[in-house]
Amino acid sequence: MKQGNHSGGHSAGKPHNHAGHVGDGVERHLHNPIEDKLIPLEPLDLGKVKSIDDLVRAMSKTAFTGRQLGEAADVLEAMARDEECFVVMTLSGAMTVAKQGLIVTELIDRGIVNAVVSTGALMAHGLVEATGRAHFRHNPEVSDEELYEQGYNRVYDTLEPEQNLDDVEEVMSAVLEGWDHNEVMCSYKLNHAIGAYLAKQTPERGILKSAHAMGVPVFVPAFSDSEMGLDTALNNRLRESTGRHKIRFDPFEDLEHFAATLLRQKKLGILTIGGGVPRNWSQQFGPFCELRHRRLGENVPLKRYHYGLRICPEPVYWGGLSGSPYSEAVSWGKFVPPAEGGRFGEVFVDATVGLPLIVAAVLERLDKKGSKAGRAKSAAGRK
């Protein structure tokens, strides 16, 4: 007969201890959280909230995603105030279709963001805004088949009229037709030229226009995967059909310029919206430096990002880089670990909710009278 509850147990009145059977509980010694210096949470009192910054600070003292968002604002503020920090912003998803483009523009204008790495689609849809055209709400009663026939491209709950993209092609055509075929093209050079065109031709604000004015390079690593890439391909076909030289595009010029720019900086920060190619391409800077040092014997510093803030609801268990935490990237030599001064924030929320709140709160902090970072960080010497 098995020895169960009838025998072999603890004697009556004797407490459990570490000498018991595997799996047994132990007599707990209850700690005092104040003596252990634990940080208490605080109720979110809306009666005390007078600004967006007040709300975000109060959220940081709560729990779950609210706390993540509040702590993320602290990280962005630290990056903005650190005069030695060069901030790379990576963008994926339909953020300009979702009307978030002016937030990015503001970060550039304030000198908080010093380089942008984006999908090409996001920049193309941003050109729609920058040239005074609009996106529209989708009526769910209209089918996708009808939308196709009517020339409306659907992005979730929003419409991008095909006519908008034809109008964007006119901007692209003006820039591409003026391109000297002897100069090898890459994405940051093309985006700079588009920004210069917009500065002369349009009154509207926009990412590329501000980037040109502030000397902020804009990289599109997967350039051919976009309307801008297709416009360039069409221009090359037109050049070929009329007996002209085609434009040569070299994406490695982007990589080398990005690396050279970051190598000149004292500290690095990254602000990531979503994930995808822009995040991976930007984060591989550290491994690129290491490989140049280890395999080629180049005398380059093994630089890594000191700050990181990402807004992305992608869970880690799908296995994609979009959902991978910064702690994982530390193992690849991409980020400075917290024990050595690294500082990171990760917010698992839709960026159309998280980004406006975080940026608005930080701008309020920087605009307060007497703030050292109320003025834009100088872009001089960072190019």
Side-chain angles (χ1 to χ4, degrees), residues 205-352:
R205 298 176 71 200
I207 296 173
L208 293 181
K209 184 177 179 180
S210 285
H212 171 265
M214 294 295 292
V216 170
V218 179
F219 302 90
V220 177
F223 180 71
S224 62
D225 181 25
S226 68
E227 183 74 20
M228 295 169 72
L230 296 183
D231 288 343
T232 304
L234 291 175
N235 185 265
N236 264 341
R237 296 180 71 87
L238 178 62
R239 284 169 173 260
E240 192 172 34
S241 68
T242 54
R244 292 178 291 163
H245 292 283
K246 294 169 65 175
I247 296 173
R248 293 170 295 157
F249 189 95
D250 185 355
F252 291 103
E253 289 210 7
D254 282 317
L255 176 61
E256 293 291 349
H257 185 69
F258 182 73
T261 301
L262 267 57
L263 280 169
R264 291 196 297 269
Q265 314 309 322
K266 292 183 178 180
K267 280 187 180 179
L268 301 173
I270 189 168
L271 169 57
T272 289
I273 307 302
V277 171
R279 181 185 180 190
N280 191 62
W281 191 85
S282 303
Q283 290 185 181
Q284 72 179 1
F285 163 71
F288 182 47
C289 291
E290 182 186 353
L291 294 176
R292 287 168 59 181
H293 174 80
R294 178 160 51 87
R295 295 182 184 176
L296 301 181
E298 293 185 25
N299 184 24
V300 293
L302 303 181
K303 299 182 74 70
R304 298 172 291 177
Y305 288 99
H306 293 80
Y307 298 95
L309 167 56
R310 69 183 185 94
I311 306 173
C312 181
E314 180 77 4
V316 67
Y317 50 76
W318 294 133
L321 182 105
S322 295
S324 67
Y326 286 130
S327 57
E328 181 180 303
V330 168
S331 75
W332 287 82
K334 298 176 180 179
F335 289 87
V336 176
E340 298 176 25
R343 187 172 180 185
F344 312 112
E346 297 174 292
V347 190
F348 306 112
V349 71
D350 178 352
T352 62

Side-chain angles (χ1 to χ4, degrees), residues 21-58:
H21 297 296
V22 174
D24 285 352
V26 300
E27 182 177 350
R28 296 194 293 167
H29 174 65
L30 303 184
H31 283 218
N32 183 315
I34 304 303
E35 292 178 357
D36 285 344
K37 299 181 179 179
L38 299 185
I39 300 173
L41 302 183
E42 298 180 15
L44 202 165
D45 186 349
L46 292 177
K48 296 179 180 179
V49 171
K50 307 300 180 184
S51 67
I52 294 176
D53 185 31
D54 287 346
L55 176 62
V56 170
R57 287 184 187 276

